[in-house]
Amino acid sequence: MPCYVWHRAKGNFWLEHANRAAFDLTGERLAERIGRPVTEVFADRPEIADDLARVARTGETVERELQYHERRLAISFVPIGEDRILAHTEDVTALRENEERLRAVIATVEDGLLTVDLAGAVVDANPAACAILGIPREQLLDDPVWWESLQLRYADGSPLFLDDPDHPGARATRGEIVRDVAQRITRPDGETVEVSTNYTPLRSGPEGALKGVVIAIDDVTEARRLQAQVAHQALHDPLTGLPNRLLFQERLEQALRREHRGRVVVLLVGLDRFRAVNDTHGHAAGDAVLCEVAGRLRGVLEASHALARIGGDEFAVLAECEDERSSAELAQRLCGALLKPLETGSQITASVGIAVEEEGQRAADLLQSADAAMQRVKARGGNTFEIFDHAMEGRLRDRLKVEDGIRRAIAKDELRLVYQPIVELDPFRTVAVEALVRWQHPEEGLLGPARFLPVAEQDAQLISGIGRWVLHRACIEARRFPDDIRVSVNVAARELSDPDLEDRILGTLEATGTPPERIGLEITETTLMEGGDAGIDPLVRLADAGLYISLDDFGTGYSSLTRLATLPLNGIKLDRGFVARYTGERDRRIIEAAVSIGRAAELNVVAEGVETEDQLELLRAAGCGFVQGYLLGRPQPPEQMIAALGAAVAT
């Protein structure tokens, strides 16, 4: 370390001695300056003379840092006697360069960094810290109580007292590292900022003496806002802004856990025939209806009632009522809220199912009971309400048992297909077979569709699962029938609204190697006519791909010739009621009219339910081209149907 000894005499400071390191720093010419005054030795550095004079005057050590040629030097002037001063010099060039590089890095760090001494005064602050706190660096360095302008507090709003020994800053001054302290500050400009703060003790010297604290500040305001937004989105319906099913269930469970309360009531509100609005007028109109319905329902509820949208067209209300009478009055208000036409011009009604809490019931039980009551209202035509009772509970248990059984049947391949022939009258030959599903129940034997399909049709996933199984099995078994025999499968109403229906059907045909012309799809008239154009588009594409599309149960809906002409149909099937109720001339004319409608639309006409020779002759006389019924053949397993077809060919 370069050292110089200066001797004060005659009002000046004279260079008395310099060590080898000083010669290396200054150069050999320093030897010529031994014994010369400071004003000559360092003529270009008058501040050195000033520092020597200050030490002589005060007797205290003086430190200075200066640039000497290309080096940065730190000099300490230390009195070593009455008239002598030692100046020892340290080359801090590399240290200062490293500090500059570090400072440049710190300046680019997004987190705020504050260095404070043990008294809390700011020693240094990077630009990010100044931006987060809203205080300029110079003000931070000059203000020993800078924190008073920030209204420091914890994230929950509780005050943060600096004289509290548990204050994170106080803990850091005792050598403890404190991380992830959630805090809130209000900047001088009035803006509130959420921050996450780390406190790290600052040590120096060989013994690691505590010198202060480094405070790292992360502005998490936007992150907290996004977190709250995500949490809100996870628990609320994006269309109506109402709580969703998850949040409703949480609130229902909380209500059931409260000790002092009335009887908890759940009301499920299902809109009647809403899909027709969606499909006929478009999803934008459907969304507008849902938003207006949400507003109307909210308008008749009290502040203590919780309203949620828990499904596509289903809303739920959570309330506390004294008895069933008060819950029924609430249901009447909900139904009454929809009496007037909506602003969109639509008129819609609702089915309301009510479940009143009984001892020991869980949230899931109440929701399930309310759903069962709502489904019963829908089955009766809707636009009213019903309270769940014990008789309904038995029906609910039966329904759930059937649902579980169907799921097991699909998984364990317990379903079976039987086939009924569709016969052309001229020439008399079988042209197609209709695939009809049965359930080979492990305990009850072979069950007909009436035992399980009505239950499955209440669950979109369940009926779609059956539909997938039927189509796949029909495609596989179709390869066993003669090439000129078409296999028809039924498409349920809920399947028709499935946006993946087209891809699923075409994918099944491709996976099984089945030509599209070997498969027919039968859609009921009511389903297709009420479904609107949204259900027609996929059928058009399926028809273009080569599948045979047939309108089933014709005569039970409200088809028109214009509508029939625009549908992607190859044929219609007269509802079996036309044939079954034939008793005279009037009925014959009705059948002839129905056949004429099919002919006018250039469609093949199939009459179902033919059981007698008289019925067959009637249909032949009316000009019906195709028939189906017990007279022509009962539904049979594929092996028997194949044998019957072979026998017919042989004769």
Side-chain angles (χ1 to χ4, degrees):
M1 179 183 295
C3 293
Y4 307 83
V5 177
W6 298 91
H7 174 231
R8 185 177 64 166
K10 300 177 182 180
N12 208 336
F13 294 91
W14 308 80
L15 182 58
E16 183 176 84
H17 179 74
N19 65 359
R20 182 70 255 174
F23 278 88
D24 294 340
L25 176 66
T26 311
E28 292 298 332
R29 55 190 176 85
L30 182 62
E32 302 173 358
R33 301 180 182 181
I34 297 297
R36 308 300 297 172
V38 66
T39 52
E40 294 183 16
V41 176
F42 295 110
D44 57 343
R45 295 291 185 182
E47 63 267 34
I48 294 179
D50 294 339
D51 289 340
L52 290 170
R54 181 181 171 188
V55 173
R57 184 176 63 256
T58 64
E60 298 176 352
T61 298
V62 174
E63 296 182 350
R64 174 178 293 279
E65 193 169 305
L66 53 81
Q67 191 74 27
Y68 185 76
H69 299 296
E70 296 181 356
R71 296 180 177 277
R72 191 74 178 172
L73 304 177
I75 307 174
S76 296
F77 298 92
V78 183
I80 57 174
E82 187 174 339
D83 54 3
R84 285 179 172 78
I85 297 174
L86 172 66
H88 57 83
T89 305
E90 182 180 0
D91 187 346
V92 294
T93 305
L95 177 62
R96 294 297 176 257
E97 288 177 352
N98 289 336
E99 289 177 349
E100 286 299 321
R101 282 193 291 270
L102 180 60
R103 188 171 288 108
V105 171
I106 291 175
T108 63
V109 172
E110 294 184 0
D111 286 356
L113 294 176
L114 286 178
T115 303
V116 300
D117 60 22
L118 295 177
V122 176
V123 178
D124 199 3
N126 72 342
C130 300
I132 293 172
L133 300 178
I135 303 175
R137 184 173 185 274
E138 295 75 15
Q139 183 177 337
L140 282 172
L141 297 178
D142 292 341
D143 187 359
V145 289
W146 53 275
W147 59 83
E148 292 183 354
S149 63
L150 296 175
Q151 302 180 37
L152 278 169
R153 55 202 184 278
Y154 291 106
D156 61 3
S158 59
L160 195 156
F161 299 109
L162 297 180
D163 56 355
D164 183 350
D166 288 331
H167 180 286
R171 291 161 59 188
T173 60
R174 298 196 297 269
E176 182 180 350
I177 297 176
V178 186
R179 300 188 183 280
D180 302 323
V181 182
Q183 295 174 317
R184 186 180 302 164
I185 63 174
T186 299
R187 306 190 319 187
D189 62 5
E191 183 177 352
T192 297
V193 181
E194 304 281 345
V195 296
S196 178
T197 311
N198 294 333
Y199 294 80
T200 305
L202 178 63
R203 301 178 182 274
S204 65
E207 297 181 359
L210 278 169
K211 295 294 184 181
V213 178
V214 176
I215 306 174
I217 309 170
D218 182 14
D219 184 348
V220 296
T221 306
E222 183 64 14
R224 292 282 188 272
R225 186 191 68 80
L226 291 175
Q227 186 179 29
Q229 181 179 346
V230 170
H232 183 275
Q233 290 174 346
L235 296 173
H236 290 78
D237 170 44
L239 177 63
T240 63
L242 294 174
N244 61 13
R245 176 182 288 272
L246 179 60
L247 183 53
F248 184 82
Q249 288 177 323
E250 289 182 2
R251 290 179 175 175
L252 176 56
E253 290 170 355
Q254 291 171 1
L256 291 172
R257 285 196 296 267
R258 286 201 308 271
E259 293 184 2
H260 305 291
R261 55 174 171 78
R263 294 177 71 183
V264 174
V265 176
V266 171
L267 300 94
L268 285 192
V269 182
L271 303 185
D272 299 326
R273 293 170 289 280
F274 175 73
R275 190 170 67 88
V277 176
N278 237 358
D279 292 345
T280 303
H281 302 290
H283 289 284
D287 289 348
V289 167
L290 289 171
C291 290
E292 188 174 353
V293 167
R296 292 215 186 167
L297 296 180
R298 189 187 292 111
V300 299
L301 295 175
E302 299 175 6
S304 60
H305 298 156
L307 175 65
R309 182 187 176 204
I310 63 170
D313 60 357
E314 292 183 2
F315 297 83
V317 176
L318 172 61
E320 293 181 16
C321 299
E322 295 180 1
D323 51 27
E324 284 78 0
R325 180 188 295 269
S326 56
S327 66
E329 292 172 353
L330 177 56
Q332 286 178 326
R333 295 209 306 269
L334 294 171
C335 291
L338 304 178
L339 289 178
K340 294 181 180 179
L342 304 177
E343 293 181 3
T344 59
S346 301
Q347 178 69 64
I348 201 159
T349 59
S351 300
V352 181
I354 307 170
V356 182
E357 173 198 7
E358 295 186 2
E359 186 176 355
Q361 276 192 310
R362 302 170 303 166
D365 299 331
L366 279 170
L367 282 169
Q368 200 171 68
S369 299
D371 181 68
M374 183 187 70
Q375 295 298 338
R376 183 165 177 81
V377 175
K378 283 184 174 290
R380 290 163 46 199
N383 194 26
T384 186
F385 65 89
E386 184 158 341
I387 300 175
F388 182 84
D389 58 20
H390 291 292
M392 202 179 299
E393 184 176 7
R395 292 192 295 270
L396 175 60
R397 282 198 302 267
D398 292 342
R399 193 188 88 187
L400 294 177
K401 182 179 179 181
V402 172
E403 286 181 357
D404 291 340
I406 295 172
R407 293 188 181 92
R408 185 194 68 241
I410 295 173
K412 295 187 175 183
D413 200 31
E414 294 175 357
L415 299 181
R416 300 288 183 268
L417 288 184
V418 293
Y419 297 89
Q420 187 174 33
I422 299 173
V423 177
E424 184 179 12
L425 292 180
D426 188 17
F428 194 84
R429 64 190 181 96
T430 300
V431 294
V433 291
E434 181 181 358
L436 303 169
V437 67
R438 302 291 188 263
W439 178 7
Q440 187 65 53
H441 196 283
E443 299 172 358
E444 301 181 39
L446 192 66
L447 301 182
R451 286 289 304 278
F452 60 94
L453 283 185
V455 172
E457 286 171 349
Q458 296 181 28
D459 187 307
Q461 291 184 344
L462 201 55
I463 195 64
S464 293
I466 293 177
R468 282 191 292 270
W469 185 92
V470 168
L471 179 63
H472 186 268
R473 179 59 62 88
C475 286
I476 292 175
E477 294 181 348
R479 296 186 303 220
R480 302 169 59 187
F481 292 106
D483 292 342
D484 59 346
I485 298 297
R486 182 179 64 253
V487 177
S488 291
V489 297
N490 293 281
V491 177
R494 286 183 177 266
E495 287 187 278
L496 196 60
S497 61
D498 183 355
D500 297 326
L501 177 66
E502 177 188 351
D503 292 338
R504 173 161 62 83
I505 291 176
L506 295 179
T508 302
L509 295 178
E510 182 179 359
T512 58
T514 306
E517 58 272 14
R518 295 294 308 280
I519 299 298
L521 303 178
E522 296 191 8
I523 297 95
T524 63
E525 180 185 27
T526 302
T527 297
L528 195 54
M529 293 303 170
E530 292 186 355
D533 294 338
I536 296 174
D537 292 341
L539 292 180
V540 171
R541 292 188 288 271
L542 289 170
D544 291 341
L547 281 87
Y548 186 96
I549 310 297
S550 179
L551 188 65
D552 198 7
D553 295 341
F554 180 77
T556 59
Y558 46 87
S559 305
S560 67
L561 287 176
T562 303
R563 184 67 163 162
L564 287 176
T566 60
L567 293 173
L569 298 176
N570 302 101
I572 60 175
K573 298 182 75 173
L574 300 182
D575 182 66
R576 65 183 62 251
F578 280 106
V579 177
R581 66 171 173 259
Y582 167 63
T583 57
E585 182 65 20
R586 182 172 179 271
D587 295 304
R588 184 185 64 80
R589 289 197 299 268
I590 292 175
I591 293 174
E592 289 177 347
V595 172
S596 297
I597 290 175
R599 283 180 172 177
E602 299 181 345
L603 301 173
N604 294 326
V605 180
V606 179
E608 293 186 286
V610 180
E611 298 184 0
T612 68
E613 290 288 347
D614 289 343
Q615 292 171 343
L616 180 62
E617 290 307 316
L618 168 67
L619 293 168
R620 193 191 302 274
C624 184
F626 303 85
V627 292
Q628 179 180 355
Y630 283 178
L631 180 65
L632 291 311
R634 291 178 174 271
Q636 303 177 72
E639 296 80 8
Q640 296 180 23
M641 180 55 64
I642 293 169
L645 291 173
V649 171
T651 58

